[in-house]
Amino acid sequence: CAEGSARARTVSIGGVEAEDFSSLRVAIVGARRARFGTGPFLARQAAKLGAQVVAVGSTRPESARLAAEELAAAGMRVTPFTEAEDLFAEAAPDVALIASPAETHRPWLRAALDAGVHVLCEKPLGAGNASETQGLAQEFAAAGLVLAENCQWPYVLPAFQLLHPGFQLGAARTFRMLMAPPQRGRERWSEVLSHPLSLLQAVRPGPAEISAIRFAEQHAEAADARLDFVFTTHASALKCEVMAEDLGRSPRPAEFAFDEALCRRRVTAKDYRMRFESEVPAPGKRAPAVDIGDPMETCLREFFVRVRRARAKREAPLDEGLVRRQALLEVLLDAWRSQQRS
C-alpha cells in the first residue's frame, strides 16, 4: 500500500455478465511501454480474463521482437509482426487491442476492419477528425464488428459512489478533473480529453454541446495547462475544469470531483494496484479508500462481452456515445487551435 493511504475496502463491480473468453484470439498492437503505452497491461489483462494472446504488432522489427520476448516472460507465447496484413492473415485474431502511438491508430484500424477483426483502441481514435471517425465507426458496425475506445474512467464511478454514498450525480453543478500527461501542446489535449468526456457522458448520457471554451496555458510546451468549458445536455449544464499538469513522477496522479466530492486515484508502484480515495490525506494520516480493481480490466471485460454478443448475433450496434465523443473532442481541439492562432 502506498505510504499514508488507508486500508482499502475491496469491492467487486457487478453488472458485467460472466463469459468464457477462452475462444477469443487476441492481437496486441503496441505491447511495450516505450511511450507510456498501456499495451503490456492490456496483454496481461486479456490473458487473465482467459483469452488467447497470440500475436503482437509493431512498426519496427526490434520493437516487435522485444515485445514478444517480454510477453513470453509473462507466460504468453506470441508471434511478432511488423505488417498489419501479415498479422491478421497469419495469426487470425478475433480481436485487436491497439495501444500503439496515436499516429498509427488509423492504419491499424483500417487494416483490422478489412480483416474483419473487432477492435478496442487507445485514445485518441480520431485525433480531431470527427466525420472521418464517424464514417469508420459506421463501417465497423455495418460489418458486424465492435469498435470501442479504451475509456476506463466511467468504470471508476462505482468507487465514487462508494466513497460518497447518497451523492446525487444528476444534481451536480460542477466537474473537475486532474490528469498528468507527459505530452505537450495539441498532443496533450488529444490524449487527455477522452477521459473527462467519457466520464461526463456516463453521468449525462445522450446528445451534448460544449460552450464557453477557454484554454489557459503559458505556451503550448508548458508543463501545466487548464481547460474550462460548459457541458450541456437536455437535462442540465455542468461547469467543467480539466487540469493537465506533468509532475514528472510515476505512477501518474489522477483525480476527479463532482461539486466538492472527490475521487482520487492512488497506485502502488510495485504491482500497479489501484485504489481510490475521497480526500487528499494530511501527512501521516489515512484517507477513506476503496479498491474496485483496475477499471481498465473492467473496460476490457465489457469489450469482450460485446464481442461475444456481436459474434452470436452477427451484428454490432453503432456506438453512439463513441461517435458523439469524437465530435466533442473535435470541438475542443478546434478551439485550442483557434486560441493558439489568436
Side-chain angles (χ1 to χ4, degrees):
C1 179
E3 183 179 353
S5 65
R7 182 180 298 276
R9 290 177 287 154
T10 301
V11 180
S12 175
I13 301 177
V16 180
E17 65 188 64
E19 289 281 349
D20 177 9
F21 303 125
S22 60
S23 66
L24 290 182
R25 294 173 60 84
V26 176
I28 309 293
V29 179
R32 304 194 70 220
R33 289 275 294 164
R35 288 172 62 178
F36 305 99
T38 56
F41 300 107
L42 287 168
R44 286 167 172 78
Q45 289 165 355
K48 179 181 175 183
L49 291 170
Q52 306 172 55
V53 181
V54 297
V56 60
S58 180
T59 55
R60 296 188 299 109
E62 180 69 5
S63 181
R65 181 185 65 80
L66 289 172
E69 290 176 357
E70 290 169 7
L71 294 183
M76 289 169 272
R77 297 182 63 182
V78 302
T79 304
F81 294 90
T82 56
E83 297 293 335
E85 293 78 5
D86 293 341
L87 185 153
F88 292 123
E90 297 179 28
D94 305 296
V95 164
L97 307 181
I98 300 178
S100 52
E103 63 271 16
T104 69
H105 289 180
R106 278 303 167 87
W108 281 103
L109 284 167
R110 175 56 62 182
L113 174 62
D114 291 344
V117 173
H118 306 272
V119 173
L120 175 68
C121 185
E122 264 302 341
K123 308 161 290 295
L125 262 183
N129 191 328
S131 59
E132 185 179 342
T133 303
Q134 181 178 15
L136 192 62
Q138 289 170 339
E139 288 187 70
F140 267 85
L145 299 171
V146 177
L147 173 62
E149 190 175 38
N150 187 18
C151 295
Q152 61 265 39
W153 280 94
Y155 300 98
V156 179
L157 286 173
F160 177 92
Q161 292 165 335
L162 287 167
L163 292 169
H164 303 284
F167 186 92
Q168 299 298 313
L169 282 167
R173 302 183 65 179
T174 65
F175 167 81
R176 65 177 175 85
M177 190 168 195
L178 168 68
M179 305 295 293
Q183 298 87 358
R184 299 289 189 271
R186 183 181 182 278
E187 184 184 6
R188 161 170 49 209
W189 295 114
S190 66
E191 291 275 351
V192 160
L193 288 175
S194 288
H195 291 305
L197 289 175
S198 62
L199 260 174
L200 290 167
Q201 286 182 306
V203 173
R204 299 283 198 277
E209 295 182 353
I210 287 179
S211 59
I213 303 169
R214 182 177 181 275
F215 289 88
E217 49 190 358
Q218 291 182 342
H219 51 82
E221 298 303 312
D224 60 306
R226 172 177 161 171
L227 164 64
D228 295 286
F229 61 92
V230 176
F231 184 88
T232 304
T233 65
H234 70 284
S236 61
L238 270 173
K239 186 177 180 181
C240 303
E241 175 187 1
V242 178
M243 294 168 286
E245 185 176 0
D246 184 5
L247 301 174
R249 68 174 188 261
S250 183
R252 294 180 177 274
E255 65 185 43
F256 70 89
F258 287 94
D259 294 339
E260 297 303 316
L262 177 68
C263 185
R264 180 174 184 257
R265 183 181 70 187
R266 289 290 295 270
V267 182
T268 305
K270 183 178 180 180
D271 57 4
Y272 215 78
R273 183 175 179 179
M274 293 186 189
R275 59 203 66 207
F276 298 89
E277 301 172 338
S278 61
E279 61 189 53
V280 180
K285 301 292 184 180
R286 294 180 176 181
V290 294
D291 180 351
I292 59 169
D294 190 334
M296 189 166 70
E297 183 178 322
T298 307
C299 179
L300 179 61
R301 183 187 296 113
E302 184 172 278
F303 168 71
F304 282 169
V305 169
R306 291 175 60 192
V307 169
R308 288 292 300 269
R309 290 174 183 165
R311 294 174 73 185
K313 297 181 178 181
R314 297 187 179 181
E315 63 178 12
L318 178 66
D319 187 340
E320 295 286 355
L322 179 148
V323 172
R324 290 170 182 152
R325 186 162 59 252
Q326 307 313 307
L328 295 173
L329 175 62
E330 183 175 42
V331 168
L332 291 170
L333 292 178
D334 283 348
W336 183 86
R337 282 190 292 263
S338 297
Q339 189 167 314
Q340 291 299 303
R341 290 194 294 265
S342 63

